[in-house]
Amino acid sequence: MSEAKKIAVVTGAGTGVGRAASLALMNTGFTVVLVGRRLDMLEETAKLGPAGKSLCVTADMTKPDSIAALFDKVKATYGRLDVLFNNAGMGAPAVNFEDLGLEQWQAVVNTNLTGPFLCTQHAFRIMKDQTPRGGRIINNGSISAHAPRPFSAAYTSTKHAITGLTKASNLDGRMYDIAVGQVDIGNAATPMTDRMVNGPGVLQPDGTTKHEPRMDAKAVGDAVAYMAGLPLDANVLTMTVMATKMPFVGRGLNSKLRKQPHAQ
């Protein structure tokens, strides 16, 4: 089936990575269901893309009934679903580990893990019974699926768990021709990462704060569109898309290489 006839759902489509991915998918021919809590932001995303290639649907990823209603609308409107990008997410306040409240923890888990789990279940139900059968699910993992930032226990835990969800659902989806993959993003230039370049910058593991390099969020959108455009007999299980000079590779150093290359 050509992309011109394919349907994609993007959660958190009103801003940042979700908007970039939605535009990239629309520009490659997908019709995209733009999902988020704020209709005005979804409509702004729709205006930035080709006319007639999107549908705005408000939904709350922390409410199972809202998620169910979203996928009922997708099925009733289009009769099929080809791509789901589980992108919506949130973090908790940067506080000492022992001071993180249970309600804050549960809010992050509900949004970042339970929401994608429920969306994936609904996508499975549609994809396995449609003709042509199958589809693709892409999860937003984050660099935090590999390494934490200070004071980010809730966010990091959910992103590590997303990796488990990606692998398990990819395995369970094989019998239905459903491919599941994950894109791990580092320092995309979005409103969420403005703090990286403003004020004192971002807290580092050594206790200092630094400004960090960012990349255009379009690079992430293009990566999602690439994954979405693959035939179902091929899959990108994990892909890391990151600002080249961000402090991740090299023990977190964000400076010139040490003069002692053999230092332990």
Side-chain angles (χ1 to χ4, degrees):
M1 181 182 295
S2 69
E3 277 73 4
K5 297 181 180 179
K6 289 187 176 181
I7 307 302
V9 168
V10 177
T11 66
T15 186
V17 166
R19 173 172 287 178
S22 298
L23 294 176
L25 288 167
M26 283 189 273
N27 287 331
T28 55
F30 283 85
T31 296
V32 181
V33 180
L34 307 170
V35 183
R37 289 181 295 180
R38 293 182 53 186
L39 181 59
D40 60 329
M41 298 301 291
L42 299 177
E43 291 175 340
E44 186 175 325
T45 299
K47 291 177 183 177
L48 294 172
K53 298 299 292 184
S54 62
L55 172 68
C56 299
V57 179
T58 56
D60 187 335
M61 292 296 106
T62 67
K63 297 180 179 179
D65 289 346
S66 182
I67 293 173
L70 161 66
F71 285 90
D72 285 345
K73 186 174 184 64
V74 171
K75 187 172 182 180
T77 304
Y78 299 108
R80 66 177 296 108
L81 173 62
D82 298 283
V83 172
L84 165 64
F85 182 32
N86 281 316
N87 167 71
M90 65 172 291
V95 299
N96 291 330
F97 179 87
E98 65 274 20
D99 296 327
L100 181 65
L102 178 59
E103 288 187 3
Q104 294 169 324
W105 167 272
Q106 290 176 330
V108 176
V109 171
N110 288 341
T111 302
N112 294 6
L113 182 58
T114 305
F117 161 72
L118 293 172
C119 288
T120 298
Q121 281 194 320
H122 285 288
F124 261 51
R125 294 179 184 123
I126 296 173
M127 291 174 174
K128 73 176 187 178
D129 291 332
Q130 64 192 8
T131 303
R133 187 177 73 170
R136 187 176 305 277
I137 298 166
I138 303 168
N139 294 321
N140 184 339
S142 168
I143 291 291
S144 289
H146 303 273
R149 287 186 179 275
F151 308 126
S152 66
Y155 185 80
T156 299
S157 296
T158 59
K159 292 305 182 179
H160 274 67
I162 281 293
T163 299
L165 178 64
T166 296
K167 293 178 179 179
S169 55
N170 182 62
L171 180 61
D172 293 346
R174 287 179 180 177
M175 68 181 76
Y176 307 123
D177 299 314
I178 298 172
V180 186
Q182 178 171 319
V183 56
D184 294 325
I185 304 161
N187 290 19
T190 69
M192 183 181 294
T193 62
D194 283 346
R195 62 192 177 89
M196 294 180 176
V197 294
N198 295 327
V202 184
L203 182 64
Q204 305 296 309
D206 64 359
T208 62
T209 56
K210 297 179 180 178
H211 285 182
E212 293 189 8
R214 299 191 299 172
M215 64 176 175
D216 192 328
K218 182 179 182 299
V220 182
D222 290 343
V224 171
Y226 162 72
M227 295 169 73
L230 288 172
L232 291 179
D233 63 355
N235 186 37
V236 175
L237 183 63
T238 59
M239 175 190 290
T240 301
V241 184
M242 56 180 278
T244 304
K245 297 182 180 180
M246 70 172 287
F248 173 56
V249 177
R251 301 187 185 183
L253 296 176
N254 189 22
S255 59
K256 295 181 179 179
L257 292 176
R258 297 173 184 265
K259 291 183 179 180
Q260 303 86 2
H262 301 295
Q264 299 296 313

